Amino acid sequence: MAPSLEEPTQVDLDAPLKAAPKLVAPEPEHCPGPESQQAGVADSCAGCPNQKICASAPKGPDPDIPLITSRLSSVAHKILVLSGKGGVGKSTFSTMLSHGFASNPLFTVGLMDTDICGPSIPKMMGVEDETIHVTAEGWEPVWVSDNLGVMSVQFMLPNRDDAVIWRGAKKNGLIKKFLMDVVWGELDFLVVDTPPGTSDEHLSVNSFLKEAGVDGAVLVSTPQEVSLLDVRKEIDFCRKAGIRILGIVENMSGFVCPGCKHQSQIFRPSTGGAERLAQDEGIPFLGKVPLDPRIGMACDYGESFLDAYPESPACQAIRGVVQRVGEQIGLKKGDVLPEE
Amino acid sequence: MPLDNIRNIVLVLSGKGGVGKSSITTQLALTLSLQGHSVGVLDIDLTGPSIPRFFGIEDSKVHQAPGGWIPVPVHDAQTLTPPSTHAANNGDAQTQIGALSCMSLGFILSSRKDAVIWRGPKKTAMVKQFLTDVLWPPLDYLLIDTPPGTSDEHISLLENLLKQTAAPTSPPNQLAGAVVVTTPQAISISDVKKELNFCKKTGIRVLGVVENMAGFVCPNCSECTNVFSKGGGEIMARDFEVPFLGSVPIDPAFVQLIEEGTRPVYPQGTVVGGKDMAETNGGSDGAKEELLVDKYRSCSLCPLFDGIVATLVADIRSRDV
């Protein structure tokens, strides 16, 4: 007998949050999605045990979308961090971007981790052991500093090594709850870190935020073609979904040997790297960030790399990128990362 | 059952993306083939398939046959002559290598730029199809490369595999277990721990942990830098009481082999010792025609994987009795 793959019930997500009806069977292969307008009436719905439920469910826009929109109306800029490839530094870059924006005390920054199966943000921010507080208003994010708040599924796990074995639909429910119920308050920036790929999480973040308006997406890649290949798919995704691309960052670009100062390309940009890709696709190139072992160390210890090694070339490069992101969303140069 | 002519199935898993699952899968496949086993590689990373790129067969397409898809062959079973300069060194006789073939969604997409934007149910159906509708030749090993995480693809992969391997017609102990890949830094370890818990929950045996990207040897001064720190994988393996298979350093020559198809060349005095100048100055045309598996034998990682694979094979065989 095969062991069952029951979903763990560690987070209470059964509170009413979906306009989608409760289904009696798993969604079939070509399911238009129980939330969609075609639910129950599409060709592929014929024969599905859910057909009746979907067809009779109230139509019209998801009543939760206006809630999300009003909740996020106090957020000035929303930035997605995307990459088709895993492990290229999306989370690292998201934390850098947040720390970078938050270094101006006039800004308040939120960082939301939508990677549900492999959340890294809490560890990188040094708030791994925190849990979230529920108030009458909703869920309180975890505040790393006075003006930098973080939200991640990791905060809700009773045991931090637990695997979250969830199918797409359940992940969408949680992301929606994050957007709807987290009390961000007045924010200047909300940085949304995503898992790799072009699937459920990305689709739902996009559809939930469409009304509220997203400034755009920052794509992260490493220089080698294996990674660029997946990033091309992400560009295609952004175009199809109508997300503006703020630009592309090349991470892990070159490594300077601490012994002999010789620069080597660990991940060779054999096809011209992200810069060439940006040129070909006509999207802004935000800069190259060299590989520095101290970045990884800073992340492991949950420190801000920008504060810890402000003089390093990698830090300079990151500051440049953060500034360029700021320019792309229409901020003045002096506003982001003011010179000390 | 469609997987009946496969002797052993090995999964390559990691909770974290970009730690080198596909790279490790590729090298395991090449090494198994070099040891004379027939190998198949199934890539179930649907939104970011990398296997076609790794084997240099991006332009290949899958053929449809009555009853299913025919996987893309990388090379047939054949005899390799020893690499020219090494022949004198280790007195290798000719090597019998096993056939190698691959299946990936990348072979089915019309353009490599196209995004596969699928929700869970569609991915579930595709994974199922990959497991039921691929006409594999008789294989000693089927390696399954997975996307990061513990979600739709993994759930359906395991549901289907467990169902199929439990069937009375399938070989005993067909589902050998999982190789878990990590990088040494704590961020990666914390995600990979989740994957180990996933294996525990689903009853998949962990064949071992491979620590990838452990150290980088500067090609200029041969100094080894731990770019992503070191030793985390071994500690994690000990904590979870699973075997530790080894640390794999970053080798730019391997990346170059994959990206450009050039036979790895090392400066005098590195691990492999000796140069293969004869092959490399013959121009790219000559080098391209050689088999990937042949060129891989010149890579410094090859002996390392030889050891890892030998351990794996011995472990799997000991269970078969």
Side-chain angles (χ1 to χ4, degrees), chain A residues 116-117 166-175 201, chain B residues 151-152:
Chain A
I116 288 165
C117 294
W166 287 359
R167 287 195 183 272
K170 190 154 180 173
K171 294 198 279 192
N172 297 340
L174 181 65
I175 291 174
E201 293 92 334
Chain B
S151 191
D152 296 283

Side-chain angles (χ1 to χ4, degrees), chain B residues 266-282:
Chain B
Y266 297 92
Q268 203 77 43
T270 29
V271 241
V272 202
K275 291 184 182 183
D276 286 338
M277 289 309 288
E279 274 97 340
T280 43
N281 57 19

Side-chain angles (χ1 to χ4, degrees), chain B residues 38-59:
Chain B
S38 54
V39 188
V41 178
L42 173 63
D43 180 9
I44 63 157
D45 190 343
L46 306 175
T47 54
S50 317
I51 288 291
R53 173 87 195 166
F54 269 100
F55 285 98
I57 43 177
E58 272 188 293
D59 299 328

Side-chain angles (χ1 to χ4, degrees), chain A residues 11-335:
Chain A
V11 184
D12 178 26
L13 293 163
D14 298 323
L17 50 82
K18 283 173 91 179
K22 200 137 186 80
L23 303 183
V24 292
E27 298 162 32
E29 179 181 350
H30 295 289
C31 176
E35 313 88 350
S36 78
Q37 296 297 317
Q38 279 91 45
V41 292
D43 292 344
S44 51
C45 292
C48 174
N50 300 317
Q51 190 182 11
K52 240 188 184 147
I53 303 172
C54 286
S56 60
K59 289 277 179 264
D62 187 342
D64 291 338
I65 299 279
L67 292 177
I68 294 176
T69 311
S70 75
R71 178 70 91 179
L72 296 180
S73 60
S74 55
V75 178
H77 298 286
K78 302 166 201 78
I79 302 168
L80 308 179
V81 178
L82 299 174
S83 171
K85 181 89 188 130
V88 294
K90 283 179 300 303
S91 301
T92 311
F93 183 72
S94 302
T95 53
M96 303 286 183
L97 197 60
S98 313
H99 277 304
F101 285 143
S103 66
N104 183 343
L106 297 175
F107 288 146
T108 314
V109 185
L111 173 55
M112 191 177 102
D113 188 3
T114 60
D115 190 343
I116 288 165
C117 294
S120 328
I121 294 287
K123 195 172 182 79
M124 289 186 181
M125 292 302 232
V127 288
E128 221 187 344
D129 300 324
E130 300 284 335
T131 48
I132 43 166
H133 301 280
V134 185
T135 63
E137 292 275 293
W139 296 350
E140 275 292 327
V142 172
W143 292 93
V144 178
S145 65
D146 286 346
N147 60 345
L148 177 53
V150 177
M151 191 66 207
S152 167
V153 71
Q154 181 81 52
F155 299 137
M156 293 186 252
L157 300 180
N159 179 352
R160 66 180 193 189
D161 292 340
D162 275 352
V164 179
I165 312 171
W166 287 359
R167 287 195 183 272
K170 190 154 180 173
K171 294 198 279 192
N172 297 340
L174 181 65
I175 291 174
K176 193 178 201 180
K177 212 159 165 56
F178 267 3
L179 290 168
M180 212 162 58
D181 291 353
V182 177
V183 197
W184 290 109
E186 294 279 330
L187 284 188
D188 295 287
F189 300 95
L190 178 65
V191 179
V192 182
D193 184 28
T194 60
T198 49
S199 192
D200 294 281
E201 293 92 334
H202 309 82
L203 285 167
S204 31
V205 166
N206 180 51
S207 58
F208 293 151
L209 287 182
K210 206 153 218 172
E211 287 283 307
V214 177
D215 284 71
V218 177
L219 301 180
V220 186
S221 181
T222 50
Q224 78 277 36
E225 179 59 27
V226 171
S227 164
L228 292 172
L229 190 64
D230 290 350
V231 174
R232 274 196 198 96
K233 293 179 193 290
E234 202 72 33
I235 294 174
D236 187 37
F237 169 79
C238 287
R239 298 226 161 108
K240 281 180 180 156
I243 303 171
R244 181 179 158 215
I245 300 174
L246 296 175
I248 182 164
V249 188
E250 185 174 281
N251 196 15
M252 307 193 195
S253 167
F255 171 70
V256 179
C257 171
C260 65
K261 306 293 170 215
H262 173 83
Q263 174 154 6
S264 31
Q265 298 291 342
I266 294 192
F267 304 107
R268 283 176 66 90
S270 58
T271 51
E275 194 163 6
R276 172 79 184 282
L277 176 69
Q279 240 171 41
D280 291 351
E281 298 284 341
I283 53 180
F285 181 66
L286 298 173
K288 294 180 181 183
V289 179
L291 188 56
D292 187 327
R294 291 175 299 185
I295 297 182
M297 299 257 282
C299 287
D300 279 359
Y301 292 113
E303 298 167 346
S304 164
F305 176 73
L306 296 176
D307 293 345
Y309 304 98
E311 298 309 316
S312 66
C315 181
Q316 302 296 335
I318 293 165
R319 291 173 68 95
V321 173
V322 173
Q323 214 133 44
R324 249 155 273 152
V325 172
E327 279 167 35
Q328 286 290 332
I329 56 175
L331 296 173
K332 280 201 290 297
K333 207 166 186 172
D335 287 352

